[in-house]
Amino acid sequence: MRTRKRKQMEANMSVEEVVNQISKLVEKEGKTPRKKEVKKSDPELMENALYYFPNWDNAVEHSIGS
């Protein structure tokens, strides 16, 4: 059985940039942005958020709390 190589994740944004962008999204939309929507509209933000945080919800919680 062949295994696929996973793409090595690399951050090209700082954790502060990720938190700020998520905070702006929450402020703009007036609600927590859904993972599926962000993955489609801003895949770079999603990839970086998941680099720094264990999951999207955790990234959002951290962003709202800051």
Side-chain angles (χ1 to χ4, degrees), residues 1-32:
M1 183 169 145
R2 291 176 61 187
T3 56
R4 290 187 352 189
K5 278 191 174 183
R6 278 192 124 191
K7 181 181 157 191
Q8 184 68 28
M9 282 186 73
E10 253 181 58
N12 58 3
M13 298 168 77
S14 70
V15 68
E16 292 85 8
E17 289 173 306
V18 170
V19 167
N20 288 337
Q21 282 199 28
I22 294 172
S23 295
K24 286 179 187 174
L25 267 179
V26 171
E27 197 175 295
K28 178 182 160 190
E29 295 185 14
K31 62 181 171 81
T32 303

